[in-house]
Amino acid sequence: MTDAWTELSDRTTELKAIEGLMGMAEWDQQVMMPAAGSGARGAHMSLLSGLHHEKLTDDRVGELLETLTGGDLTETQSASVRNLQRDFDRATRVPAALVKRGAVVRAKAFPAWAEAKEASDFSQFSPHLAELIDIAKETVSAIDSESDPYDVLLAPFDPGSTVATLDPMFDRLGSELGTLLDALEDGEAPAKLEGPWDVAKQRSLHDEVATALGFDWKRGRLDNSEHPFTVGVHPTDVRITTHIYPEGLLSGLSGTVHEVGHGLYEQGIPTELSMTAAGSAASFGLHESQSRFWENTIGRSRAFSNWLSSRANKRLGTSFSGEELYGAANRVQRSLVRVFADEVTYNLHILVRYTLERRIFAGEVTVDELPDAWTDLYESTIGVRPGTAAEGVLQDVHWAGGMFAYFPSYTLGNLYAASLGATLVEEMPDLWDQVEAGEFQDILGWLRHNVHSRAHLADAPDIMAAAVGERDHVEDLVDYLWSRHGALHGVTR
Ligand SMILES: [Zn+2]
């Protein structure tokens, strides 16, 4: 048993090292690489992913997993065996020819999507999308032909979550958020800030905020990129990026706070777990809960705005009041584009995509029907109607990358963040005093203990249940949104 564990650990260490290199190459591609390097980078990435696949699907890995399963294992060992078994099953069940076809179709689909979006012409992308959906369906039936196809798609992003919980959750959220949105429109909207602000001075403010929140610069970097993202190469090497806008002080800053939240999670994975199959985030949804918690629960709070105003005024030479920043950070409006959505409407954008993906994989909507179905759902869910395909069905990159069932992770993140926030307020009565004083170490300590240090020792729903108890996440999110935005708009529930 010990020998089998040692051998499997050695193999897992190699897999994790390859994943770290792939993360670094991906970061480099978006931050440092000259444009002409993309061809060569494709060859590098394809070598690494081929090597990873080869090592993961080695027969010996299957034998070792079989030897260890059900044995007398520590928590780390049994979680690693379970996680690696899932990866092994997925990787070995899908025929190599199908994997290859997927890579070829995705390589063509991405530029086709970009051009179609530029021209706002869905027909340029639809044949690629149809093929990507076919490949996803074939992949799903190769992995598990018994379960609901959507559950099989969901598993690599949010293991432990299924449509049985997501369907009723999205139903309730849709109607509760619709009610809130209607009510807010009867109130008065807070004003936005008028720029511009010096980019270098903004950057110094971002650095100060990241430091205050607990981002460890010895184990991480913050760079610029077109779209902010986080890559955890290792807990000792976490790369986050941001985008600073001359006219968008708060949008740039909330992007940084969001990525710092992801980065703190990655830095908080225990190093002793980092090279095991239990040493990563438990799910995309839990990852998103960390970024959303810092971005919204803390970063858009009145207490944070009060603290931020003094820091911003010092660095930027402005004279903001905390109340001004608080209002500007919490403007709510019905809109067409997910990435610019506020925290009240955001989950409605996800609800539209979830509904459509469910219908696609239940065979209830064809690719050609998608643009109209999208438009109708936006009208009935958010009350706005996209006039173009670019603002509608073509707005997100996910489907062009063959990523179906990714979107629910965003909403799971918001739901988890709300329950983490509600629990923290109960457990730390002086939480908002600490935030207003710019002291975040106790909050980070709580997250380290209850979430980060748990890595992938359990699935996200179990980590959440241990952290917050059996809470109703939908109720927590709706309560939180009402109390913040209702008060700001002068309306009550
Ligand atoms: Zn995120």
Side-chain angles (χ1 to χ4, degrees), residues 228 230 258-259 262 287-288 291-292 295 406 410:
T230 294
H258 180 99
E259 300 307 326
H262 282 305
H287 225 309
E288 199 63 12
S291 53
R292 291 286 176 174
E295 178 194 353
Y406 183 106
Y410 293 118

